PDB file of all heavy atoms in Angstrom:
ATOM      1  N   ALA A 183      12.400 -24.770  -7.850  1.00  0.00           N
ATOM      2  CA  ALA A 183      13.404 -25.829  -8.048  1.00  0.00           C
ATOM      3  C   ALA A 183      14.216 -25.611  -9.316  1.00  0.00           C
ATOM      4  O   ALA A 183      14.530 -26.554 -10.046  1.00  0.00           O
ATOM      5  CB  ALA A 183      12.732 -27.199  -8.067  1.00  0.00           C
ATOM      6  N   ALA A 184      14.594 -24.356  -9.559  1.00  0.00           N
ATOM      7  CA  ALA A 184      15.335 -24.019 -10.778  1.00  0.00           C
ATOM      8  C   ALA A 184      16.838 -24.148 -10.621  1.00  0.00           C
ATOM      9  O   ALA A 184      17.578 -23.878 -11.562  1.00  0.00           O
ATOM     10  CB  ALA A 184      14.985 -22.598 -11.210  1.00  0.00           C
ATOM     11  N   GLY A 185      17.297 -24.555  -9.432  1.00  0.00           N
ATOM     12  CA  GLY A 185      18.727 -24.686  -9.215  1.00  0.00           C
ATOM     13  C   GLY A 185      19.394 -23.333  -9.034  1.00  0.00           C
ATOM     14  O   GLY A 185      18.737 -22.295  -8.921  1.00  0.00           O
ATOM     15  N   ARG A 186      20.703 -23.355  -9.022  1.00  0.00           N
ATOM     16  CA  ARG A 186      21.459 -22.109  -8.825  1.00  0.00           C
ATOM     17  C   ARG A 186      21.329 -21.233 -10.070  1.00  0.00           C
ATOM     18  O   ARG A 186      21.726 -21.619 -11.167  1.00  0.00           O
ATOM     19  CB  ARG A 186      22.927 -22.409  -8.546  1.00  0.00           C
ATOM     20  CG  ARG A 186      23.745 -21.177  -8.184  1.00  0.00           C
ATOM     21  CD  ARG A 186      25.205 -21.535  -7.934  1.00  0.00           C
ATOM     22  NE  ARG A 186      25.957 -20.371  -7.500  1.00  0.00           N
ATOM     23  CZ  ARG A 186      26.488 -19.466  -8.332  1.00  0.00           C
ATOM     24  NH1 ARG A 186      26.313 -19.604  -9.649  1.00  0.00           N
ATOM     25  NH2 ARG A 186      27.179 -18.431  -7.870  1.00  0.00           N
ATOM     26  N   CYS A 187      20.767 -20.050  -9.903  1.00  0.00           N
ATOM     27  CA  CYS A 187      20.518 -19.143 -11.017  1.00  0.00           C
ATOM     28  C   CYS A 187      21.511 -17.989 -10.992  1.00  0.00           C
ATOM     29  O   CYS A 187      22.023 -17.615  -9.937  1.00  0.00           O
ATOM     30  CB  CYS A 187      19.096 -18.595 -10.957  1.00  0.00           C
ATOM     31  SG  CYS A 187      17.805 -19.858 -11.008  1.00  0.00           S
ATOM     32  N   GLU A 188      21.740 -17.404 -12.153  1.00  0.00           N
ATOM     33  CA  GLU A 188      22.632 -16.257 -12.222  1.00  0.00           C
ATOM     34  C   GLU A 188      22.099 -15.238 -13.223  1.00  0.00           C
ATOM     35  O   GLU A 188      21.424 -15.587 -14.196  1.00  0.00           O
ATOM     36  CB  GLU A 188      24.050 -16.679 -12.606  1.00  0.00           C
ATOM     37  CG  GLU A 188      24.165 -17.386 -13.926  1.00  0.00           C
ATOM     38  CD  GLU A 188      25.579 -17.851 -14.213  1.00  0.00           C
ATOM     39  OE1 GLU A 188      26.442 -17.795 -13.308  1.00  0.00           O
ATOM     40  OE2 GLU A 188      25.825 -18.260 -15.360  1.00  0.00           O
ATOM     41  N   VAL A 189      22.415 -13.982 -12.947  1.00  0.00           N
ATOM     42  CA  VAL A 189      21.999 -12.892 -13.812  1.00  0.00           C
ATOM     43  C   VAL A 189      22.894 -12.866 -15.045  1.00  0.00           C
ATOM     44  O   VAL A 189      24.115 -13.005 -14.951  1.00  0.00           O
ATOM     45  CB  VAL A 189      22.076 -11.547 -13.066  1.00  0.00           C
ATOM     46  CG1 VAL A 189      21.681 -10.388 -13.967  1.00  0.00           C
ATOM     47  CG2 VAL A 189      21.209 -11.582 -11.812  1.00  0.00           C
ATOM     48  N   VAL A 190      22.282 -12.694 -16.217  1.00  0.00           N
ATOM     49  CA  VAL A 190      23.022 -12.598 -17.473  1.00  0.00           C
ATOM     50  C   VAL A 190      23.122 -11.124 -17.854  1.00  0.00           C
ATOM     51  O   VAL A 190      22.117 -10.412 -17.887  1.00  0.00           O
ATOM     52  CB  VAL A 190      22.326 -13.393 -18.598  1.00  0.00           C
ATOM     53  CG1 VAL A 190      23.119 -13.285 -19.902  1.00  0.00           C
ATOM     54  CG2 VAL A 190      22.162 -14.853 -18.191  1.00  0.00           C
ATOM     55  N   VAL A 191      24.346 -10.674 -18.152  1.00  0.00           N
ATOM     56  CA  VAL A 191      24.608  -9.275 -18.465  1.00  0.00           C
ATOM     57  C   VAL A 191      25.321  -9.183 -19.802  1.00  0.00           C
ATOM     58  O   VAL A 191      26.221  -9.983 -20.094  1.00  0.00           O
ATOM     59  CB  VAL A 191      25.464  -8.618 -17.364  1.00  0.00           C
ATOM     60  CG1 VAL A 191      25.808  -7.180 -17.734  1.00  0.00           C
ATOM     61  CG2 VAL A 191      24.745  -8.665 -16.024  1.00  0.00           C
ATOM     62  N   ALA A 192      24.942  -8.223 -20.605  1.00  0.00           N
ATOM     63  CA  ALA A 192      25.631  -7.955 -21.876  1.00  0.00           C
ATOM     64  C   ALA A 192      25.606  -6.458 -22.131  1.00  0.00           C
ATOM     65  O   ALA A 192      24.553  -5.820 -22.020  1.00  0.00           O
ATOM     66  CB  ALA A 192      24.959  -8.697 -23.031  1.00  0.00           C
ATOM     67  N   GLY A 193      26.774  -5.907 -22.446  1.00  0.00           N
ATOM     68  CA  GLY A 193      26.838  -4.488 -22.766  1.00  0.00           C
ATOM     69  C   GLY A 193      26.403  -3.568 -21.655  1.00  0.00           C
ATOM     70  O   GLY A 193      25.852  -2.499 -21.904  1.00  0.00           O
ATOM     71  N   GLY A 194      26.623  -3.962 -20.408  1.00  0.00           N
ATOM     72  CA  GLY A 194      26.299  -3.096 -19.281  1.00  0.00           C
ATOM     73  C   GLY A 194      24.854  -3.119 -18.841  1.00  0.00           C
ATOM     74  O   GLY A 194      24.453  -2.301 -18.009  1.00  0.00           O
ATOM     75  N   ARG A 195      24.062  -4.061 -19.383  1.00  0.00           N
ATOM     76  CA  ARG A 195      22.691  -4.177 -18.901  1.00  0.00           C
ATOM     77  C   ARG A 195      22.306  -5.645 -18.816  1.00  0.00           C
ATOM     78  O   ARG A 195      22.894  -6.501 -19.482  1.00  0.00           O
ATOM     79  CB  ARG A 195      21.710  -3.414 -19.784  1.00  0.00           C
ATOM     80  CG  ARG A 195      21.451  -3.985 -21.154  1.00  0.00           C
ATOM     81  CD  ARG A 195      20.176  -3.373 -21.757  1.00  0.00           C
ATOM     82  NE  ARG A 195      18.994  -3.787 -21.018  1.00  0.00           N
ATOM     83  CZ  ARG A 195      18.257  -2.997 -20.244  1.00  0.00           C
ATOM     84  NH1 ARG A 195      18.564  -1.732 -20.096  1.00  0.00           N
ATOM     85  NH2 ARG A 195      17.197  -3.465 -19.604  1.00  0.00           N
ATOM     86  N   VAL A 196      21.320  -5.935 -17.979  1.00  0.00           N
ATOM     87  CA  VAL A 196      20.857  -7.309 -17.840  1.00  0.00           C
ATOM     88  C   VAL A 196      20.046  -7.702 -19.068  1.00  0.00           C
ATOM     89  O   VAL A 196      19.313  -6.885 -19.641  1.00  0.00           O
ATOM     90  CB  VAL A 196      20.016  -7.517 -16.558  1.00  0.00           C
ATOM     91  CG1 VAL A 196      20.830  -7.210 -15.321  1.00  0.00           C
ATOM     92  CG2 VAL A 196      18.762  -6.668 -16.581  1.00  0.00           C
ATOM     93  N   THR A 197      20.208  -8.954 -19.458  1.00  0.00           N
ATOM     94  CA  THR A 197      19.418  -9.477 -20.581  1.00  0.00           C
ATOM     95  C   THR A 197      18.585 -10.683 -20.171  1.00  0.00           C
ATOM     96  O   THR A 197      17.767 -11.157 -20.954  1.00  0.00           O
ATOM     97  CB  THR A 197      20.342  -9.878 -21.743  1.00  0.00           C
ATOM     98  OG1 THR A 197      21.265 -10.888 -21.295  1.00  0.00           O
ATOM     99  CG2 THR A 197      21.110  -8.669 -22.264  1.00  0.00           C
ATOM    100  N   GLY A 198      18.816 -11.207 -18.980  1.00  0.00           N
ATOM    101  CA  GLY A 198      18.025 -12.338 -18.543  1.00  0.00           C
ATOM    102  C   GLY A 198      18.606 -13.014 -17.331  1.00  0.00           C
ATOM    103  O   GLY A 198      19.481 -12.476 -16.639  1.00  0.00           O
ATOM    104  N   VAL A 199      18.127 -14.226 -17.098  1.00  0.00           N
ATOM    105  CA  VAL A 199      18.562 -15.048 -15.976  1.00  0.00           C
ATOM    106  C   VAL A 199      18.821 -16.459 -16.495  1.00  0.00           C
ATOM    107  O   VAL A 199      17.997 -17.013 -17.227  1.00  0.00           O
ATOM    108  CB  VAL A 199      17.496 -15.076 -14.862  1.00  0.00           C
ATOM    109  CG1 VAL A 199      17.778 -16.176 -13.850  1.00  0.00           C
ATOM    110  CG2 VAL A 199      17.414 -13.720 -14.170  1.00  0.00           C
ATOM    111  N   ARG A 200      19.964 -17.015 -16.116  1.00  0.00           N
ATOM    112  CA  ARG A 200      20.287 -18.395 -16.475  1.00  0.00           C
ATOM    113  C   ARG A 200      19.981 -19.300 -15.286  1.00  0.00           C
ATOM    114  O   ARG A 200      20.452 -19.071 -14.174  1.00  0.00           O
ATOM    115  CB  ARG A 200      21.755 -18.534 -16.873  1.00  0.00           C
ATOM    116  CG  ARG A 200      22.148 -19.950 -17.302  1.00  0.00           C
ATOM    117  CD  ARG A 200      23.601 -20.032 -17.751  1.00  0.00           C
ATOM    118  NE  ARG A 200      23.796 -19.303 -19.001  1.00  0.00           N
ATOM    119  CZ  ARG A 200      24.442 -18.137 -19.101  1.00  0.00           C
ATOM    120  NH1 ARG A 200      24.943 -17.551 -17.990  1.00  0.00           N
ATOM    121  NH2 ARG A 200      24.594 -17.534 -20.250  1.00  0.00           N
ATOM    122  N   THR A 201      19.164 -20.323 -15.500  1.00  0.00           N
ATOM    123  CA  THR A 201      18.795 -21.248 -14.429  1.00  0.00           C
ATOM    124  C   THR A 201      19.879 -22.309 -14.250  1.00  0.00           C
ATOM    125  O   THR A 201      20.829 -22.402 -15.041  1.00  0.00           O
ATOM    126  CB  THR A 201      17.460 -21.928 -14.737  1.00  0.00           C
ATOM    127  OG1 THR A 201      17.633 -22.813 -15.849  1.00  0.00           O
ATOM    128  CG2 THR A 201      16.383 -20.901 -15.056  1.00  0.00           C
ATOM    129  N   GLY A 202      19.700 -23.127 -13.227  1.00  0.00           N
ATOM    130  CA  GLY A 202      20.665 -24.178 -12.959  1.00  0.00           C
ATOM    131  C   GLY A 202      20.791 -25.194 -14.069  1.00  0.00           C
ATOM    132  O   GLY A 202      21.834 -25.844 -14.227  1.00  0.00           O
TER     133      GLY A 202
END
Side-chain angles (χ1 to χ4, degrees):
R186 186 181 184 276
C187 301
E188 59 183 10
V189 178
V190 180
V191 177
R195 71 164 293 110
V196 299
T197 60
V199 166
R200 182 177 292 108
T201 69

